[in-house]
Each structure stands twice: as structure tokens, then as C-alpha cells.
Amino acid sequence: MQTGKVNFSWDTKGISLLRDNDRIIGVRAKRLRDGKEIDYLARVVILATGGFQNNREMVREYWPKDLPFPERLLLGGGSNSVGSGHTMAKAAGAQLQNMSYQWNYSTGLPDPNLSDQRGLNAFSQQSIWVNKAGRRFVNESQDMKTTFPAVLRQPGSTYWAIFDSAARGTFFVSGGTARRSRAVSSTIRA
Ligand SMILES: Cc1cc2nc3c(=O)[nH]c(=O)nc-3n(C[C@H](O)[C@H](O)[C@H](O)COP(=O)(O)OP(=O)(O)OC[C@H]3O[C@@H](n4cnc5c(N)ncnc54)[C@H](O)[C@@H]3O)c2cc1C
């Protein structure tokens, strides 16, 4: 259905929320092509800027308190998942809730296309995982909610996934680079 009531502004980044006393009345945005700032006024403002898993500082700031922070963290999420909406909301007085409810992967592999800063998701269902001491430490087929904390508690928050040649075909790598703008979530070295 076309109503002509939706306008898209491309290459335009929201930089702050506009307030009138206790109401949010719009968004100040910057046109990236020429740097011009534009105010968009609206009765209702919806923040749909995604998550923050590509922002290492925010991931660290809101890391679950009951889990150790890994020595090395690979970034993920969309390339623009940097929490800019959260930052704008906070600056406008919002209280952020449940920020430690992060989805992180225990199956991360450095993405060689991005200076090893971001993670690919790499996994074989027929692999066993061993830590630096060569010991298994978790049932690898369990849910990420179990395997992720288990990996974090290993020395160096790292492990080796071991499989034989018969299982090579089951090893898959998913996620992508910033160019494709979808990649795995923040994770640790596998
Ligand atoms: C590794 C990984 C795997 C996933 N796999 C799945 C899956 O298999 N199935 C599934 O359903 N979900 C999956 N998800 C979750 C899914 O990708 C997200 O939940 C979903 O993309 C969130 O949608 P969104 O519209 O809130 O944010 P996004 O898709 O991130 O969209 C936000 C948009 O806002 C733009 N933006 C950000 N800041 C600004 C700003 N300041 N001004 C203007 N624009 C801005 C961004 O460029 C982006 O286009 C996965 C997530 C991750 C991290």
C-alpha cells in the first residue's frame, strides 16, 4: 500500500533527541554527505537504531556481572550496532534497562577481513572443545547459554575445536564482514 506518508532520509545520522520539557519532540540529525544538521520534529519518536554489539566499550560497560570479561573480545552485530540510540536516549534522560542481557557467541573466530577485530561464527557439531591444558570442559552440543560461560571460565577464555577429516564437511563458518553488514555477535577466540 502506498500512502506517500513515509519519507526516507538516506545517509543521515541521528545525533540527539530534541526535548521540550519532559517530552521528546524530535531528532537532530546530521546529513553525512555535507555535515548539515537538520531537526526533524514529530509527535512520536521511535528509536530503531539496533543494538550495541559492535561497540566494545558498551559491551564491556554492560557486561553481565556474574561472568568474567574475556582477555580478547571479537565484535559482532551489524556494523552500525554501536548503541547510538541508547546513547541519545541516555543523554535525553532515559534510564536504560536490562543492558546486561547480551547475546554473545562461544563459537567465535577472528574475521581475517577485518584485522581480526570482528568475529565469524565457526562450529562443527562433531568437534570436541579442549582448553589450553587439552581438557574438555563442557558438553559442546549444549545451548550457548551453557557453553558461553563455560568458555569464559577457561584460561585465556579460549579453546580449540578438534575434529577429524571425516567431520570436515560439518564445519561451517557464518557471519560476515562489515561490507555485508551482518556478522556474528561479540564473542571470544575459538
Ligand atoms: C550474530 C547475530 C546473528 C543473528 N541471527 C539472527 C537470526 O538468525 N534470526 C533472527 O531473527 N535474528 C538474528 N539476529 C538478531 C537480529 O539481527 C537483530 O535482532 C535485528 O537485526 C535487530 O533489528 P533492529 O531493526 O532493531 O536493528 P538493526 O537491524 O541493527 O537496524 C538498525 C538500523 O539503524 C541504523 N542506525 C543506527 N544508528 C543510527 C543513527 N544514529 N541514525 C540513523 N540510523 C542509525 C543502522 O544503520 C541500522 O540500519 C542476530 C544478531 C546477531 C548479532
Side-chain angles (χ1 to χ4, degrees), residues 53-68:
Q53 295 301 109
N54 198 31
N55 180 331
R56 182 173 277 108
E57 286 68 40
M58 279 186 78
V59 170
R60 182 189 284 276
E61 183 179 355
Y62 297 111
W63 193 252
K65 293 214 178 335
D66 57 333
L67 291 179

Side-chain angles (χ1 to χ4, degrees), residues 12-14 48-51 77 80-81 84 88 105 182-185:
T12 306
K13 180 177 180 180
T49 50
N80 289 330
S81 293
S84 60
M88 282 191 281
Y105 278 54
R182 254 310 268 282
V184 297
S185 176

